[in-house]
Amino acid sequence: MCGHFGFIYRMQNGMFPSHSKAFAEGLYIDALRGEDGTGICLIDKDGSAEVIKENMESSRFLQHKEVKELLDKAGKSGKALLGHNRKATVGASKSENSHPFIVEDDFVFLHNGSLFNWRKLGYDTEVDSEALARHIHGAIRKEKPLGEALGEVDGAYAVVWYDLVKEEVAIIRNIQRPMFIVEVDNGWFYGSELEMIRLVCARNSQKIKGEAELPVGTLCRWKLTDSFSDMKPALTKIDI
């Protein structure tokens, strides 16, 4: 079991410090779902992405100077924060095996779940999640239908990725793993546990406008270049 926790900001001028603080609290609590690794990706308003990850639980991770500086930067120019807490199931507990994974410098990927046939996907990786990252990245770049690619996967998944080429955050899951999305005044929190998101929102004066569990097999996408008035999650049912 691993855990997702993240925030996507609606505005274009950098999120409020209260949003990055709420994200950090969510990542701290999300250690309940995994203590073997912690990682974050900051997506800047210019479309770039910065990743930090370590094989340690989140309370220690959040004390690192580099992590604090990245969260401070989010409060100035951040567009989204993607977080992950790892419970090691496949592969050793080391920083390289923590999430997010970066594929060919243009794709950032986070996964909750375990795969049975990951070696058959054709990638020489130590971790099933990295094989899945490369599999999905390859499908997208080759314009292969996502449903066809996911149909080749045997196992559980709730995945989040940021595509630097499309400047787009995407989430999809199957029935074996949860994912919830909560809308607040200036954006959206997402995570593996709804009560955790509610708690973080309550502690940080984030008024909830709507909440839902992401339907199974539905791709949820945010185009980060959209204007304030146009930005919203786009839902597409995927035929898997």
Side-chain angles (χ1 to χ4, degrees):
M1 180 174 69
C2 299
H4 291 286
F5 194 89
F7 178 69
I8 298 161
Y9 189 48
R10 187 191 298 270
M11 309 291 282
Q12 295 292 342
N13 57 347
M15 63 184 68
F16 291 113
S18 59
H19 295 131
S20 57
K21 178 177 178 291
F23 168 81
E25 288 187 11
L27 198 66
Y28 178 92
I29 301 169
D30 202 44
L32 294 169
R33 296 187 62 89
E35 298 181 341
D36 297 317
T38 309
I40 58 175
C41 171
L42 168 65
I43 303 168
D44 197 87
K45 64 181 182 180
D46 66 4
S48 63
E50 295 180 58
V51 168
I52 301 177
K53 59 181 185 176
E54 297 286 348
N55 61 321
M56 62 180 61
E57 49 86 21
S58 56
S59 63
R60 291 173 55 207
F61 176 83
L62 289 165
Q63 296 305 310
H64 280 205
K65 178 183 177 182
E66 296 83 357
V67 175
K68 291 181 177 180
E69 289 175 346
L70 197 65
L71 292 174
D72 183 61
K73 182 177 179 180
K76 298 182 175 69
S77 61
K79 185 64 180 177
L81 283 163
L82 317 180
H84 188 275
N85 300 77
R86 182 182 185 228
K87 178 67 175 177
T89 52
V90 177
S93 179
K94 57 185 181 181
S95 296
E96 297 93 316
N97 292 342
S98 297
H99 302 226
F101 293 98
I102 302 173
V103 183
E104 296 186 9
D105 295 325
D106 66 12
F107 195 74
V108 181
F109 186 86
L110 310 91
H111 171 222
N112 169 28
S114 296
L115 306 185
F116 301 110
N117 70 333
W118 59 280
R119 293 193 183 279
K120 295 181 180 180
L121 297 177
Y123 299 96
D124 183 19
T125 64
E126 182 179 343
V127 183
D128 56 348
S129 300
E130 185 175 4
L132 182 58
R134 295 184 178 279
H135 182 65
I136 292 178
H137 173 267
I140 292 173
R141 293 293 177 260
K142 296 173 184 176
E143 298 187 355
K144 177 179 179 178
L146 181 60
E148 183 179 337
L150 291 174
E152 297 167 350
V153 173
D154 181 13
Y157 60 83
V159 297
V160 180
W161 69 78
Y162 174 57
D163 187 329
L164 280 84
V165 175
K166 298 181 179 180
E167 293 191 44
E168 181 177 271
V169 174
I171 304 176
I172 194 168
R173 73 179 184 100
N174 68 4
I175 197 169
Q176 298 178 60
R177 289 296 184 270
M179 183 65 78
F180 298 89
I181 299 171
V182 172
E183 184 177 6
V184 294
D185 281 338
N186 290 311
W188 299 265
F189 286 96
Y190 70 83
S192 299
E193 301 204 21
L194 180 58
E195 291 299 329
M196 197 177 293
I197 304 174
R198 287 172 173 169
L199 174 61
V200 167
C201 288
R203 285 177 53 87
N204 291 276
S205 302
Q206 297 293 316
K207 183 180 179 181
I208 293 176
K209 299 175 65 177
E211 57 185 41
E213 185 170 22
L214 180 65
V216 170
T218 298
L219 181 66
C220 180
R221 296 172 293 123
W222 286 266
K223 189 73 173 176
L224 300 189
T225 54
D226 282 349
S227 65
F228 167 80
S229 57
D230 293 333
M231 190 176 178
K232 60 184 177 180
L235 300 177
T236 306
K237 182 66 178 177
I238 302 298
D239 184 17
I240 299 174

